[in-house]
C-alpha cells in the first residue's frame, strides 16, 4: 500500500514537471511506466495494485484506514476483513473486493468414496491424468536414450493411434521401431588393448633388452595408448591409396615419436634394443626404434587397418577404466607416533561391516566406493586416520591433530580429495579472487565433460579451503595444528587463527631481506657527477653497518561486522541478523534497541511500539528488495538516486584520534563494522603483519600497531613509510613515544602522497621526504643507469608497496564483507601468508637462468624411405 501511494505521488509529480516544462532534458521522455518499473514493476502494478487498491479507495474507507495504520488488533482485523489471518496477501484483497467487502470462511471439503465418483463420472479425470503422466515419463525416457522430442512423440503416436489399436503387440513394436532414428551417439573412447599377457611378454623379450625395466616397458606402452592420433597418421601414410603416395615403413610421424621417447629416456635408451643390436648413429637408432614401435602398435591392435590393409575404423583415445587402480584411504604412519608410547604396529580398527565407502577426487578423477580404513594403537588408544590423528591430552580429553603430511583430506560426509585438488582450490581462490561458490561452479562446469555425474558443493569447497590453508599456515610455523575434537568449521577457523595467526604477525616475513627491501648502508649521498670519487673521509675507520631496511604501512577500508554496543568489538552471537555479542544480547534482552529506551520490543521486531516507524525504515533501507534488479545495476559508488533509500551515514573520523567526537548511534538494529584493515609490508611486497582498526585509522592506533609488531629496538626498521607520516610524527612527539622511535627509525611519506604534503606542510617537507636530494638521507636515494647507460637518481625503495598490495586485496572485498569475524580473520591471514610465499617464490625464480630444451633432429635427418 505504501508503494502504491508513493508511486502515485511520483507519477503526479512527474506529470506536473512535464506540464511546467521542468522535466530534465537529459532524462528519457516521461512515461508512467518509467516510474512504475522503478517502484514495483509494470505487470505487478496492473495485476495487483491498481485493480485492487483503486477499488478499496472508492468503496471501502475502513480498509484504507486499516492500511494506513501501523498496527492493528485481532478484533480490528476481523471487523475489516471478516476473517482473522496472520498475514494478508493480494489474493485475499482480490477476494474481498470480489465478494463485496468480506472474506469467506473456507470449509474443509469432505472426501468422496470411489463408488460415489463412479456414479457421477468423476473417476475418469484421475485416469486421464495418470495416462498423461505415463506418456510424459516415456517421452523423458526416450529423450534420455538419445531421441529428440519430435521422434519421441512420433514413436508414442505410432503406438497409441486408434488405427493401431486393433494391431497385435508385435506389430505395434514393429511400427514403433520404424520411427526410431538410425543415428546413435558415437563413443568418445575405445577399450584398452586386451591381449594375452603371454603374447605381450614374448614380444617384450624378443624386442627389447633382457635388462629392460618394468618402468621402461610401461613407459612405451602408455606412450602408445596416449598417442592414437599419431598412430592414425602413421598407419595412413603406410598404406598408399592414390597416385604419388609411397609405401613407407618408418614414416616421419613414427620417427618423431621415436625421438620423443629417446629424449625422455636419455641415457637409458639402450634398454629398448637387444644385445649387439644398438646402432652406432642416432639416425639408425631412430629408424630401428621406429620399426619396433610400428610392430608394437600392430600387436596392441592400435591401427585403423586390418591384416589385409583394409580400413576398419579410426583409432579413438584409449579408455583406462579397465585398468583404473583400486584406491584406499588409510593412515600414512607405519607405527604409533605417540611420544609416550612405543613405536608399535598399528591394527586395522574398523569392523568389516562398518568400513565406509566414500567418493575420492584424485588427479581430477572421481573414484567411487573407496574404502576408508583406520589404524589404532592398542597401548595408548591413539587412532590414526588418513588426514588426522586422534589422541588424549594430559587432561584425558580427546584432541585432533591436523597432519601437514596428509595425502588426502576429508571435506564432506562421504567426500575426500587429494592434496593436489585442495591446493588447486587455494591457488584458484587466491589467483582469481574467487569465492567458494564461484570455484564450485567453475569446477562442476569444467568437469561436466567427464562421464562422472558427481557434483561438488560450495560447503565442500569451503571445507577444502580451510583444511588446506590450515596445513599451509601450520607448515610455515613448523608445527601440526592440534584442536579439540568435534569442532564445527566456524570454530576451527577461530581456534586456528588464535593458535597460528599470531595476532596477524608473520614472524618468518619479519626477517626477510632482499635487494628490494634492504640496501647497503651509506654514510654519504651518491652523486651523478664524478660518481667514482668517494665522499667518505679516507681517514675514517672502516666500520661495518647493518643494511638499511624499510617497511611500508597503509590501510584499506573494509572489515567484518562486530557487536553494535559502544566500544565492544566482540563477535556477534548471531551472525545472521544479530547485532550484539553474547554478553550484550543478554544485557539488552527483550528491550527496545533504540538508544536508551527501556520498553519491551514488539514480537518479530527490534523496537517497541513507540519506535516501530524507525524499525520499518531500517528494514526498508536494508532489505534486498530495495536494491534488486535494474536498480542494483544503475547504482554507482557514492551515488544516491531518487528511487533509492536515503540512508544517512555519518562521516568516518579517518584520522581523528578523539573517538569521543564520533556521532553516537541512535539505535542498535544492526551490527557495527570494523573500519579498515591495516597492513605492514616490505618494499618487495612481502607481508609482515596486519590488523583491524575500528572506527578510524588514527595515528595513535598506527603507533600502537607498530609497537606490537616491533617491540624491541633491534627489530625496528630504519624507515617506516606511511601516507600520513607527518601526522604520526606529530602524535608521536605529543605522546612522548618519539623518544623511543627516534633512536632507531624515521617516518617518511610515500612518494604519491608527498606531492600534496610538501606544498603546505613544512614539517613533512623537512622530516618526511621520501627521497631528499640534499644528502640528508643518503640511503633513500641511489644512482642507477637507464637502457642507454645514462646515470640518474632513483628512490632506493618502493614506497608504493602497500598501495599495490591493497589494490590486490580489494578484489576480496565482496567476499570478505559477508564473512563472520572468525572466517574473515582466517581467510585474510591465510591469503596473506600464501601471498608472501608466492612473492618469495617469484624472487627465487628470477635468480635462476631460463633454460629451454628442444628435441633436436638427428645429424643425418631425414629422408623418407
Amino acid at each position: 500500500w505504501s508503494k502504491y501511494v508513493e508511486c502515485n505521488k511520483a507519477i503526479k509529480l512527474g506529470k506536473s514537471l512535464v506540464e511546467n516544462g521542468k522535466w530534465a532534458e537529459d532524462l528519457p521522455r516521461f512515461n508512467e511506466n518509467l516510474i512504475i518499473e522503478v517502484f514495483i514493476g509494470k505487470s505487478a502494478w496492473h495485476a495487483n495494485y491498481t485493480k485492487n487498491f483503486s477499488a478499496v479507495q472508492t468503496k471501502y474507507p475502513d480498509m484504507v484506514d486499516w492500511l494506513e495504520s501501523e498496527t492493528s488488533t485481532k478484533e480490528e482485523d476481523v471487523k475489516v476483513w471478516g476473517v482473522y489471518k496472520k498475514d494478508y496477501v493480494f489474493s485475499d484483497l482480490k477476494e474481498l473486493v470480489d465478494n463485496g467487502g468480506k472474506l469467506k470462511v473456507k470449509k474443509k471439503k469432505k472426501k468422496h468414496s470411489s463408488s460415489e465418483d463412479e456414479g457421477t463420472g468423476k473417476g475418469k479425470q484421475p485416469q486421464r491424468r495418470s495416462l498423461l503422466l505415463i506418456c510424459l515419463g516415456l517421452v523423458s525416457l526416450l529423450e534420455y536414450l538419445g531421441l529428440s522430442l519430435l521422434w519421441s512423440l512420433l514413436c508414442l503416436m505410432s503406438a497409441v493411434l486408434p488405427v493401431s489399436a486393433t494391431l497385435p503387440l508385435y506389430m505395434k513394436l514393429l511400427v514403433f521401431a520404424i520411427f526410431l532414428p538410425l543415428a546413435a551417439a558415437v563413443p568418445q573412447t575405445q577399450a584398452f588393448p586386451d591381449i594375452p599377457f603371454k603374447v605381450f611378454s614374448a614380444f617384450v623379450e624378443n624386442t627389447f633388452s633382457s635388462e629392460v625395466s618394468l618402468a621402461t616397458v610401461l613407459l612405451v606402452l602408455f606412450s602408445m595408448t596416449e598417442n592414437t592420433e599419431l598412430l592414425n597418421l602413421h598407419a595412413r601414410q603406410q598404406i598408399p591409396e592414390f597416385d604419388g603416395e609411397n609405401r613407407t615403413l618408418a614414416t616421419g610421424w613414427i620417427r618423431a615419436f621415436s625421438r620423443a621417447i629417446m629424449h625422455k629416456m636419455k641415457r637409458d635408451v639402450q634398454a629398448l634394443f637387444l644385445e649387439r643390436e644398438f646402432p652406432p648413429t642416432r639416425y639408425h637408432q631412430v629408424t630401428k626404434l621406429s620399426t619396433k614401435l610400428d610392430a608394437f602398435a600392430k600387436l596392441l591392435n592400435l591401427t585403423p587397418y586390418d591384416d589385409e590393409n583394409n580400413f576398419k575404423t579410426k583409432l579413438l583415445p584409449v579408455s583406462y577404466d579397465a585398468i583404473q587402480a583400486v584406491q584406499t584411504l588409510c593412515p600414512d604412519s607405519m607405527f604409533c607416533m605417540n611420544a609416550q608410547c612405543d613405536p608399535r604396529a598399528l591394527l586395522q580398527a574398523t569392523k568389516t561391516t562398518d568400513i565406509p565407502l566414500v567418493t575420492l577426487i584424485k588427479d581430477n578423477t572421481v573414484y567411487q566406493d573407496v574404502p576408508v580404513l583406520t589404524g589404532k594403537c592398542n597401548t595408548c588408544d591413539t587412532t590414526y586416520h588418513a588426514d588426522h590423528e586422534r589422541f588424549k591430552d594430559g587432561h584425558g580429553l580427546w584432541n585432533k591433530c591436523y597432519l601437514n603430511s596428509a595425502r588426502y583430506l576429508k571435506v564432506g560426509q562421504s567426500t575426500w580429495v587429494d592434496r593436489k585438488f585442495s591446493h588447486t582450490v587455494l591457488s584458484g581462490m587466491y589467483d582469481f579472487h574467487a569465492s567458494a561458490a564461484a570455484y564450485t561452479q567453475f569446477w562442476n562446469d569444467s568437469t561436466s565433460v567427464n562421464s562422472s555425474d558427481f557434483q561438488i558443493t560450495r560447503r565442500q569447497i569451503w571445507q577444502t579451503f580451510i583444511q588446506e590453508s590450515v596445513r599451509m599456515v601450520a607448515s610455515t610455523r613448523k608445527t601440526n595444528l592440534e584442536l579439540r575434537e568435534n569442532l564445527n568449521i566456524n570454530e576451527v577457523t577461530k581456534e586456528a587463527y588464535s593458535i597460528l595467526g599470531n595476532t596477524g604477525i608473520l614472524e618468518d616475513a619479519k626477517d626477510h631481506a632482499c635487494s628490494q627491501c634492504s640496501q647497503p648502508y651509506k654514510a654519504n649521498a651518491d652523486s651523478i657527477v664524478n660518481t667514482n670519487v668517494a665522499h667518505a673521509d679516507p681517514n675514517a675507520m672502516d666500520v661495518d653497518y647493518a643494511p638499511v631496511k624499510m617497511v611500508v604501512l597503509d590501510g584499506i577500508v573494509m572489515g567484518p561486522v562486530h557487536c553494535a554496543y559502544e566500544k565492544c568489538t566482540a563477535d556477534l552471537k548471531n551472525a545472521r541478523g544479530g547485532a550484539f555479542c553474547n554478553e550484550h544480547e543478554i544485557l539488552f534482552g527483550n528491550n527496545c534497541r533504540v538508544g536508551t529506551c527501556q520498553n519491551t520490543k514488539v514480537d518479530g521486531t527490534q523496537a517497541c511500539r513507540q519506535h516501530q516507524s524507525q524499525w520499518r525504515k531500517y528494514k526498508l533501507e536494508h532489505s534486498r528488495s530495495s536494491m534488486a534488479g535494474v536498480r542494483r545495476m544503475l547504482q554507482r559508488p557514492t551515488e544516491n538516486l531518487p528511487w533509492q533509500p536515503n540512508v544517512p551515514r555519518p562521516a568516518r573520523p579517518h584520522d581523528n584520534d578523539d573517538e569521543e567526537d564520533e556521532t553516537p548511534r541512535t539505535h542498535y538494529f544492526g551490527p557495527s563494522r570494523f573500519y579498515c584493515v591495516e597492513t605492514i609490508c616490505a618494499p618487495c611486497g612481502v607481508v609482515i603483519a596486519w590488523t583491524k582498526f575500528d572506527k578510524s585509522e588514527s595515528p595513535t592506533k598506527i603507533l600502537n600497531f607498530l609497537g606490537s609488531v616491533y617491540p624491541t629496538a633491534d627489530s625496528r626498521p630504519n624507515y617506516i613509510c606511511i601516507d600520513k607520516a607527518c601526522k604520526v610524527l606529530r602524535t608521536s612527539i605529543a605522546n612522548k613515544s618519539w623518544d623511543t622511535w627516534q633512536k632507531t627509525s624515521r617516518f617518511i611519506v610515500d612518494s604519491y602522497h608527498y606531492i600534496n604534503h610538501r606544498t603546505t606542510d613544512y614539517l613533512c617537507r623537512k622530516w618526511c621526504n621520501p627521497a631528499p636530494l640534499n644528502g640528508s638521507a643518503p640511503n633513500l636515494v641511489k644512482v642507477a643507469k637507464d637502457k642507454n647507460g645514462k646515470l640518474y637518481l632513483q628512490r632506493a625503495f618502493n614506497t608504493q608497496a602497500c598501495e599495490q598490495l591493497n589494490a590486490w586485496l580489494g578484489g576480496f572485498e565482496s567476499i570478505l564483507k559477508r564473512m563472520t569475524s572468525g572466517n574473515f580473520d582466517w581467510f585474510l591471514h591465510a591469503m596473506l601468508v600464501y601471498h608472501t610465499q608466492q612473492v618469495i617464490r617469484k624472487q627465487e625464480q628470477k635468480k635462476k637462468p631460463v633454460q629451454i630444451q628442444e628435441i633436436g633432429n638427428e645429424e643425418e635427418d631425414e629422408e623418407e624411405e
Side-chain angles (χ1 to χ4, degrees):
W1 170 256
S2 300
K3 288 185 178 180
Y4 174 77
V5 174
E6 295 299 325
C7 187
N8 280 326
K9 289 181 181 179
I11 293 174
K12 184 177 180 181
L13 177 60
K15 290 181 178 179
S16 175
L17 293 174
V18 173
E19 291 174 358
N20 297 329
K22 296 182 180 180
W23 184 260
E25 296 180 357
D26 56 340
L27 293 177
R29 184 178 179 181
F30 176 79
N31 188 297
E32 290 186 8
N33 292 333
L34 185 67
I35 306 298
I36 294 171
E37 285 291 339
V38 170
F39 274 85
I40 300 165
K42 188 165 61 176
S43 300
W45 174 264
H46 293 292
N48 298 323
Y49 285 71
T50 57
K51 186 175 181 180
N52 297 316
F53 286 141
S54 59
V56 168
Q57 284 180 312
T58 56
K59 297 181 180 180
Y60 308 105
D62 293 340
M63 176 61 72
V64 174
D65 295 336
W66 185 89
L67 292 169
E68 294 287 351
S69 64
E70 296 181 354
T71 58
S72 63
T73 62
K74 182 176 180 179
E75 291 75 17
E76 292 173 345
D77 293 348
V78 174
K79 180 180 178 181
V80 174
W81 290 89
V83 175
Y84 174 75
K85 296 181 67 175
K86 186 176 181 180
D87 297 306
Y88 297 92
V89 294
F90 272 115
S91 59
D92 298 327
L93 186 62
K94 182 178 183 300
E95 182 181 346
L96 182 141
V97 173
D98 294 339
N99 294 334
K102 298 291 181 181
L103 291 178
K104 291 183 178 180
V105 179
K106 297 182 180 179
K107 298 182 179 180
K108 296 183 179 179
K109 296 182 180 180
K110 295 183 179 180
K111 296 183 178 180
H112 298 279
S113 62
S114 58
S115 59
E116 294 174 346
D117 291 340
E118 290 174 0
T120 58
K122 294 181 180 179
K124 295 180 181 180
Q125 185 175 0
Q127 293 178 3
R128 295 193 186 101
R129 187 181 297 112
S130 299
L131 181 60
L132 178 60
L133 291 175
I134 292 173
C135 292
L136 291 176
L138 287 173
V139 171
S140 301
L141 176 62
L142 291 171
E143 285 187 281
Y144 177 78
L145 293 176
L147 306 184
S148 65
L149 179 61
L150 177 61
W151 279 109
S152 302
L153 293 175
L154 287 175
C155 295
L156 287 174
M157 289 174 61
S158 68
V160 300
L161 282 176
V163 178
S164 63
T166 59
L167 295 177
L169 179 60
Y170 72 90
M171 290 297 295
K172 289 183 179 181
L173 294 175
L174 179 61
V175 174
F176 182 82
I178 291 174
F179 283 95
L180 288 175
L182 298 179
V186 179
Q188 300 297 318
T189 58
Q190 67 181 43
F192 191 82
D194 188 14
I195 62 173
F197 181 75
K198 183 177 180 180
V199 176
F200 179 80
S201 176
F203 177 85
V204 172
E205 291 179 357
N206 298 329
T207 307
F208 302 133
S209 170
S210 59
E211 300 297 328
V212 65
S213 65
L214 176 62
T216 301
V217 175
L218 294 179
L219 167 66
V220 177
L221 172 62
F222 290 118
S223 298
M224 301 290 288
T225 57
E226 283 290 328
N227 292 277
T228 53
E229 296 87 354
L230 184 142
L231 296 178
N232 279 324
L233 295 166
H234 164 66
R236 175 60 186 85
Q237 191 174 350
Q238 281 188 321
I239 310 298
E241 297 182 7
F242 301 97
D243 294 339
E245 292 184 344
N246 300 320
R247 183 179 183 86
T248 306
L249 180 62
T251 65
W253 303 106
I254 203 70
R255 294 179 70 88
F257 189 38
S258 300
R259 290 197 302 272
I261 292 178
M262 294 171 65
H263 177 78
K264 172 74 174 179
M265 297 186 62
K266 295 181 171 55
R267 297 181 180 181
D268 297 330
V269 70
Q270 290 189 8
L272 296 176
F273 299 89
L274 295 172
E275 286 74 7
R276 301 181 181 179
E277 187 189 35
F278 188 66
T281 64
R282 184 174 178 82
Y283 175 82
H284 291 93
Q285 292 171 12
V286 171
T287 303
K288 188 65 176 178
L289 181 58
S290 298
T291 58
K292 292 174 180 286
L293 296 179
D294 176 70
F296 198 16
K298 292 175 180 176
L299 175 75
L300 298 172
N301 200 23
L302 293 178
T303 174
Y305 294 90
D306 59 18
D307 296 337
E308 298 179 357
N309 294 336
N310 296 319
F311 180 75
K312 298 183 299 183
T313 182
K314 180 181 176 181
L315 295 179
L316 297 173
V318 175
S319 171
Y320 295 97
D321 291 342
I323 61 170
Q324 190 179 68
V326 174
Q327 305 289 333
T328 60
L329 297 173
C330 55
D332 183 57
S333 301
M334 291 177 56
F335 44 81
C336 182
M337 303 293 292
N338 194 330
Q340 309 300 324
C341 182
D342 297 327
R344 296 178 177 273
L346 303 179
L347 304 181
Q348 204 290 104
T350 311
K351 295 181 180 179
T352 304
T353 56
D354 296 337
I355 294 177
L357 301 178
V358 301
T359 300
L360 171 65
I361 304 176
K362 180 179 180 182
D363 295 331
N364 253 11
T365 301
V366 179
Y367 296 87
Q368 301 287 355
D369 298 333
V370 177
V372 181
L373 306 177
T374 303
K376 182 179 181 180
C377 175
N378 280 344
T379 303
C380 62
D381 289 335
T382 301
T383 56
Y384 293 82
H385 304 260
D387 64 338
H388 71 277
E389 295 176 4
R390 180 174 177 266
F391 65 97
K392 286 184 178 180
D393 60 9
H395 304 285
L397 300 176
W398 286 105
N399 283 5
K400 181 178 179 180
C401 177
Y402 295 77
L403 299 174
N404 298 339
S405 59
R407 293 180 57 202
Y408 306 100
L409 303 177
K410 184 179 181 181
V411 298
Q413 186 69 25
S414 59
T415 305
W416 290 67
V417 299
D418 65 347
R419 295 298 293 276
K420 182 184 294 185
F421 178 89
S422 61
H423 180 75
T424 303
V425 170
L426 176 61
S427 179
M429 296 175 75
Y430 167 82
D431 289 322
F432 303 118
H433 295 90
S435 64
Y439 192 90
T440 301
Q441 188 66 39
F442 158 74
W443 193 85
N444 287 333
D445 289 345
S446 63
T447 58
S448 60
V449 296
N450 296 341
S451 58
S452 174
D453 295 330
F454 175 79
Q455 294 279 290
I456 203 163
T457 65
R458 179 192 62 83
R459 291 180 181 272
Q460 291 170 346
I461 290 295
W462 177 247
Q463 181 76 245
T464 303
F465 171 80
I466 297 300
Q467 296 291 337
E468 177 64 25
S469 59
V470 160
R471 289 164 171 82
M472 181 267 297
V473 177
S475 63
T476 63
R477 303 290 300 274
K478 297 179 176 57
T479 184
N480 290 316
L481 178 64
E482 296 180 2
L483 300 177
R484 290 181 292 108
E485 192 182 27
N486 297 326
L487 296 179
N488 63 45
I489 190 63
N490 292 328
E491 293 172 331
V492 169
T493 56
K494 288 182 180 180
E495 294 294 326
Y497 182 72
S498 65
I499 296 173
L500 302 175
N502 194 25
T503 65
I505 302 174
L506 283 66
E507 289 291 346
D508 295 340
K510 287 177 64 176
D511 299 329
H512 170 74
C514 66
S515 59
Q516 298 182 49
C517 55
S518 64
Q519 300 288 338
Y521 173 80
K522 294 183 297 185
N524 297 281
D526 291 338
S527 174
I528 294 180
V529 180
N530 197 11
T531 56
N532 294 325
V533 178
H535 295 270
D537 184 359
N539 298 321
M541 295 180 62
D542 187 10
V543 180
D544 292 333
Y545 291 93
V548 178
K549 292 186 176 182
M550 174 189 284
V551 297
V552 188
L553 187 144
D554 197 10
I556 177 172
V557 179
M558 67 176 182
V561 294
H562 62 81
C563 179
Y565 197 75
E566 297 296 332
K567 298 183 180 180
C568 179
T569 58
D571 294 348
L572 299 178
K573 178 183 179 181
N574 177 19
R576 294 179 177 268
F580 289 126
C581 62
N582 188 47
E583 177 184 352
H584 292 109
E585 190 74 40
I586 297 173
L587 178 65
F588 270 75
N590 289 326
N591 291 345
C592 176
R593 300 295 172 85
V594 177
T596 58
C597 179
Q598 298 296 318
N599 296 331
T600 302
K601 61 185 180 182
V602 178
D603 290 342
T605 70
Q606 298 295 334
C608 61
R609 292 184 180 275
Q610 179 183 352
H611 298 110
Q612 281 296 303
S613 58
Q614 296 185 37
W615 167 250
R616 284 195 296 271
K617 181 180 178 182
Y618 173 83
K619 291 294 290 182
L620 177 63
E621 292 171 349
H622 292 80
S623 64
R624 295 194 176 189
S625 60
S626 66
M627 286 292 294
V630 69
R631 284 164 287 182
R632 184 187 293 273
M633 289 194 304
L634 291 176
Q635 188 193 31
R636 296 179 177 86
T638 69
E639 182 179 51
N640 192 19
L641 300 177
W643 59 77
Q644 295 169 346
N646 186 16
V647 184
R649 302 186 187 279
R652 291 274 191 175
H654 183 71
D655 298 321
N656 190 9
D657 255 347
D658 188 5
E659 295 181 356
E660 300 297 332
D661 293 342
E662 186 182 11
T663 305
R665 295 187 57 155
T666 58
H667 60 74
Y668 299 111
F669 294 150
S672 298
R673 187 177 290 274
F674 282 97
Y675 176 60
C676 70
V677 171
E678 198 78 8
T679 55
I680 300 176
C681 69
C684 63
V686 169
V687 182
I688 298 172
W690 71 277
T691 191
K692 296 175 296 189
F693 286 167
D694 188 31
K695 295 184 179 180
S696 67
E697 188 188 23
S698 65
T700 301
K701 292 179 180 178
I702 292 175
L703 288 170
N704 293 336
F705 179 39
L706 287 170
S708 65
V709 179
Y710 302 104
T712 62
D714 295 338
S715 63
R716 292 170 187 158
N718 303 92
Y719 292 98
I720 301 173
C721 180
I722 320 172
D723 57 356
K724 59 185 76 175
C726 44
K727 290 180 182 255
V728 175
L729 179 59
R730 285 190 176 92
T731 304
S732 179
I733 295 173
N735 62 21
K736 304 301 178 63
S737 62
W738 179 241
D739 296 340
T740 302
W741 284 103
Q742 69 173 342
K743 299 175 182 178
T744 58
S745 307
R746 175 176 168 182
F747 297 110
I748 64 171
V749 178
D750 66 279
S751 57
Y752 176 78
H753 291 87
Y754 180 73
I755 297 173
N756 296 326
H757 287 212
R758 66 180 182 180
T759 58
T760 58
D761 194 334
Y762 173 77
L763 183 144
C764 182
R765 187 168 64 251
K766 175 69 175 177
W767 298 103
C768 302
N769 190 339
L773 299 178
N774 58 4
S776 59
N779 295 288
L780 293 178
V781 182
K782 66 179 182 179
V783 175
K785 292 183 179 181
D786 60 15
K787 61 181 180 179
N788 298 320
K790 186 177 180 180
L791 300 177
Y792 68 96
L793 293 175
Q794 72 171 15
R795 296 183 181 90
F797 300 97
N798 174 24
T799 61
Q800 298 297 309
C802 255
E803 295 284 354
Q804 296 159 358
L805 174 68
N806 290 340
W808 166 78
L809 203 58
F812 293 107
E813 182 183 6
S814 60
I815 305 172
L816 290 168
K817 68 181 181 181
R818 291 178 173 84
M819 290 186 178
T820 61
S821 183
N823 288 344
F824 181 100
D825 291 344
W826 179 254
F827 183 89
L828 185 60
H829 186 76
M831 283 299 171
L832 292 178
V833 171
Y834 189 74
H835 175 75
T836 298
Q837 291 180 348
Q838 295 297 100
V839 171
I840 296 175
R841 181 181 61 83
K842 291 178 180 178
Q843 290 177 352
E844 294 175 351
Q845 285 181 344
K846 290 180 180 179
K847 299 176 182 178
K848 299 178 181 178
V850 179
Q851 296 181 354
I852 302 176
Q853 295 183 353
E854 296 182 356
I855 303 176
N857 294 340
E858 54 267 25
E859 298 175 358
E860 305 171 0
D861 207 60
E862 181 164 292
E863 297 180 1
E864 296 291 335
E865 297 180 0

